[in-house]
Structure formats: structure tokens, C-alpha cells
Amino acid sequence: AAARYYHDALFDDTEQYRGYLYLTDERGLSEETILQNKLGWSDGRLAQFLQREGFSPDEIKESRLVKINGEDFFGKGAIVFPYMDRGRVTQIRGKYIGGKTISLPGVPSQLYGSDSIVGEKTAFVVEGELDRLVMQQLGFPAVGVPGANTWKPEWTTLLEESKRVYVAYDNDNPGRAGAEKAAKEIGPKSRLVEVPINGGDISDFYLSGKTSDDINYLLSKARGGLLVTVE
């Protein structure tokens, strides 16, 4: 119910469609990508909606979407990313424009977009929700990690069906270290992809005018995560 409300608010928001224009004009996402992933906007009125929908105060409290003082957890002015597992919303994260992305308290970290890699022989692991959305839009089945150093053993299990896994984190110190860690956990089928922008990520690469062909070129230069030889 909350994900549906946030999604509707992205299009109903009266602040000049600030969230929608951020996703399209600044982040390069198509409306199809926005609709497919049920992206939303926090307008600060979720609590009232949930009450009108008949949810009890205890249910609303247990969802962690509303603070004890009755305010929405994400407040007002956040892009909302619903996390789905087999089509069911299991987590919601919010990103403030120009600021950080935050998670609901007490909810375990999850991979963003895990449904999209089911049955895929080649999968991609990137850093963050927006990078994952860009990869999806370019035609690459990808998941996003909610932080460079957050890889969990159970996530490796989700990639069992994939014969090749490309890891493309941000090109900064935390990103490089996190990518090495993830590639080691995934095993020999992993390949490390370097984004050729110092301090940049897949989104920056895409927004610089690059296409899926350019992504494929980066994949051709990817290196193995575990075994190396003298050139």
C-alpha cells in the first residue's frame, strides 16, 4: 500500500513534479523504467493515507514507515525505491535529491532488483539503485547493492544460475575495495569492470553520452576477480 501511494505521489506531486523531473532530466531514466520499477516520491502524507486505508496504529508502527511522533520516516522530498522479491515489496529506501539514500530502521539489507536476474546466464552487480536502473534501461539484468561494503553470503546464492557475473562499483576507494570483496565471494565466474571516470559510477558513464555498446566495451576489458597471470 505504501509503495503504491509513493508511486502515485510521484505523478501527483504539486512541486513542479520535482521528483519526476529529477529522475528523467537529471538521472536519464525513461518513464517506462520509472513505471516498471514503481519509483515513488515521499510527500509527507503517507501516515494519513495508511490510516484511511484501515491500517491500525500498531500495523503502521510495525512497518517502520512512520515515526513515533507521527511523521513519515522519509519526511518530504525523497525519491522512493521499493525493493521487490518475487513481486512482493519487502523493503523501501529513500534518496534525498543531492543527498544520501537511507533505509528503514531494523530492516535487513537486500539486493535491489533481484527479480530481474532470475534465470539469467549473465548478471551484473552495481552500486546503488540508480546505477541498477540505468543498467536495466540499457538492457542488462542487474542488481544493486545498498552500499559498497555490504556483500552478504546469501546474495551469492541468488547468483547461482548465472554463469558470468560482472561487478561494476563506483570508481573510488570504497567502491574498488567493495568490488574486490564481492568478486571474491561470488567466485571465479566474477569479472571486475572498471568505470573509466575517476570517482564516477555507471550512471555518470551513461549520462556522459555512453550507450549499451560502450558498456559492452567495458565488459570486454573486465578482469577476473581471483586468477591473474603475467601480461
Side-chain angles (χ1 to χ4, degrees):
R4 185 176 72 249
Y5 176 81
Y6 285 136
H7 183 58
D8 290 342
L10 182 70
F11 297 93
D12 296 338
D13 178 60
T14 56
E15 286 188 54
Q16 306 266 325
Y17 296 100
R18 186 182 175 203
Y20 180 84
L21 292 177
Y22 168 77
L23 290 170
T24 55
D25 293 5
E26 295 186 42
R27 308 304 306 207
L29 299 182
S30 67
E31 184 167 304
E32 180 182 359
T33 298
I34 292 171
L35 293 172
Q36 185 175 354
N37 293 278
K38 308 298 182 188
L39 304 186
W41 176 254
S42 174
D43 62 1
R45 296 192 290 268
L46 176 68
Q48 296 93 314
F49 167 77
L50 294 177
Q51 290 168 359
R52 291 196 303 270
E53 287 289 290
F55 292 100
S56 70
D58 285 342
E59 288 174 323
I60 296 174
K61 178 183 177 181
E62 289 172 6
S63 75
R64 300 177 175 86
L65 291 164
V66 178
K67 298 178 181 179
I68 295 177
N69 61 7
E71 294 180 358
D72 292 5
F73 177 77
F74 295 117
K76 186 176 181 180
I79 299 293
V80 172
F81 304 96
Y83 278 54
M84 287 182 262
D85 181 7
R86 291 181 284 269
R88 176 177 174 269
V89 178
T90 55
Q91 159 75 299
I92 293 177
R93 297 186 82 215
K95 174 180 173 57
Y96 301 101
I97 296 176
K100 294 183 177 180
T101 302
I102 61 173
S103 303
L104 294 173
V107 179
S109 298
Q110 301 172 37
L111 286 179
Y112 180 59
S114 59
D115 283 358
S116 68
I117 63 170
V118 174
E120 295 289 345
K121 298 304 179 186
T122 301
F124 300 81
V125 182
V126 295
E127 191 178 336
E129 293 85 1
L130 290 168
D131 279 10
R132 182 260 159 186
L133 292 167
V134 164
M135 290 295 284
Q136 177 196 359
Q137 187 165 293
L138 291 173
F140 300 98
V143 291
V145 295
N149 196 34
T150 57
W151 193 263
K152 294 183 175 183
E154 56 263 36
W155 294 349
T156 302
T157 305
L158 295 175
L159 295 162
E160 281 184 345
E161 295 183 61
S162 301
K163 304 299 183 184
R164 175 73 71 232
V165 179
Y166 290 98
V167 182
Y169 283 14
D170 297 3
N171 189 3
D172 54 22
N173 289 334
R176 287 187 288 270
E180 292 278 359
K181 177 182 177 181
K184 183 177 180 180
E185 292 287 338
I186 294 168
K189 65 183 178 182
S190 65
R191 295 292 182 270
L192 289 166
V193 179
E194 181 179 348
V195 178
I197 300 176
N198 189 31
D201 56 23
I202 286 291
S203 290
D204 297 320
F205 187 67
Y206 166 67
L207 291 170
S208 70
K210 305 302 183 181
T211 66
S212 57
D213 288 339
D214 297 300
I215 296 289
N216 279 317
Y217 176 71
L218 294 184
L219 302 184
S220 71
K221 297 173 68 65
R223 61 187 177 88
L226 295 178
L227 302 177
V228 297
T229 60
V230 176
E231 292 183 350

